[in-house]
Each structure stands twice: as structure tokens, then as C-alpha cells.
Amino acid sequence: MDLLDSILNSMQKPPTASEAQKNAMRKQKEAIENRQKEERNMINRFRKRVEEKISNFIKDGTKPHIQFEPMEQMYRSIIREVSEIAGLQVFSFGQEGVDRYSVVYLKDNGPSEDELTVRRAGGVWNEDKAAEMALAHFEKRKQAAIDLEEEKNRKRKRGKEELSGTFYKQKYAHLIGQEAAIDAAQKTGVNKSYGEVPSENKKDQRSIEQTMADIKAKKMKKAETEKRDADSGEQI
């Protein structure tokens, strides 16, 4: 026996496991395997329930959506997988690890912007909330129509003021004074028929007799002028 063999023989051999320890290890392994098997079975049962629920939802066709209870991400992923295979839309709302849940919609009838806004804010979406949001949109459109009509009326009124001169009176009153602005507005008021000259100024205010007398006087003056011109020509 050489030195190496002597050293090896002198070393203490590792203790062998007792029968009790072996049984404990075997039971622990079996427990782990059973737990894993139960988890697989539980997931399969959950998938089956989801498939049945999704199938009934599609067959019914009257419900706007199907909502699941809050659950862990692993189970929500199963809902998403089953729904997408069936050609449906899936949205998740809520805080992860607290109350996050999934909602499934038909492919051609997804959630409205109002519903997404409410759910993402942590609110509850139902018929009452939908009616409330619809009324709010109606009131908003109604007010917008009123504002638009008022703006049109203001523009029409301003156009009339510009034609009457009132607009210029208001525009330049702070520069030249109120009285001067009024006077300027009156002088520059536009007449639709005759331009910027008041139509009254273009009317003949004379009577018929005065008009005839003026015409006769003009003729006599013209005749006298022609006679003087003729006499002057003969003298030359």
C-alpha cells in the first residue's frame, strides 16, 4: 500500500443517507411534481372556461362586451390568446397587481373613445355612464352651434354698421373725438345708389316755373353772346 492509498483510507467516508431521509426527499419531489401537475390542470381548466365563455359570447351576439374579473397577468394572457384566436378585440384596464382586468369585444364593435377614457381613468362603464357622456357631447355641440350663430350675427351687424358709418364712428372716436367721429361718419356714409355723395344732394330742388325761367335766361344769354360776336366780326 502506497502513501496515497494510506491517506485515502484514513479519510472519513461521506455519511450515507438513512432510509428516513430518503423517504423525505422522495416525498418532497413528489409534492413538487404534484403541485406542478395541479397548476397545469388548473390552467387547462381556466382555459376551457374562457373558451366556453368566449364561444357563448360570440353566439349570443347581443352583448357589447364580456368583462373578466381582475386577475394575474398569466391568466390575462390566456384570455388574450383565446380571444385573438377567435378574432376578437381585447383590452386591459386597471393597475397591475391591484385590479387589472380584461374586457373582450367583437371585432367590428370595439369600445368607443368615451368608454376607453372612462375605463383608463379607473371609472365604471355602464349604460348610465354612456347616457351621461352622450348628453355631455350633445350639450357641447349645442353650445358650439349657438356660438357659431352668434358669431355670424356679429359679422352681419358689423357689416351693416360699416355701411351706415357707425363702424367708423366707433373705430376713430378715440383718435379724433366723439363729435368729430360722428361728423366724419355722416359725411363718409356710403349711399348704395349714388356712391359717396348723398342722393338728396343730386335732386333738383327748383320748381317747374323757376326751371323754365332759368332755361329761357340761358337761351337769351346765348343769343346775346352770339350777336356780339357777329357785330365784332363785321367791324373788323
Side-chain angles (χ1 to χ4, degrees), residues 57-68:
F57 169 63
I58 296 175
K59 291 178 181 178
D60 181 87
T62 61
K63 298 179 181 179
H65 60 263
I66 179 172
Q67 180 173 326
F68 290 85

Side-chain angles (χ1 to χ4, degrees), residues 200-213:
E200 294 296 328
N201 294 351
K202 290 193 173 185
K203 292 182 180 180
D204 196 339
Q205 304 293 333
R206 297 174 299 174
S207 63
I208 296 177
E209 292 78 4
Q210 184 178 356
T211 302
M212 296 299 294

Side-chain angles (χ1 to χ4, degrees), residues 187-198:
K187 291 182 179 179
T188 58
V190 178
N191 187 290
K192 293 182 179 179
S193 300
Y194 299 98
E196 294 185 356
V197 179

Side-chain angles (χ1 to χ4, degrees), residues 59-118:
K59 291 178 181 178
D60 181 87
T62 61
K63 298 179 181 179
H65 60 263
I66 179 172
Q67 180 173 326
F68 290 85
E69 295 295 324
M71 59 187 68
E72 296 178 359
Q73 194 275 336
M74 180 184 68
Y75 295 101
R76 295 200 312 273
S77 65
I78 295 175
I79 295 174
R80 179 172 296 277
E81 180 182 350
V82 173
S83 300
E84 290 180 348
I85 291 175
L88 305 178
Q89 302 183 63
V90 187
F91 291 83
S92 293
F93 307 96
Q95 185 177 352
E96 188 66 58
V98 179
D99 59 353
R100 195 160 180 80
Y101 63 96
S102 297
V103 184
V104 180
Y105 302 85
L106 295 174
K107 184 177 181 180
D108 56 350
N109 190 23
S112 64
E113 289 299 324
D114 288 341
E115 180 177 353
L116 290 176
T117 300
V118 171

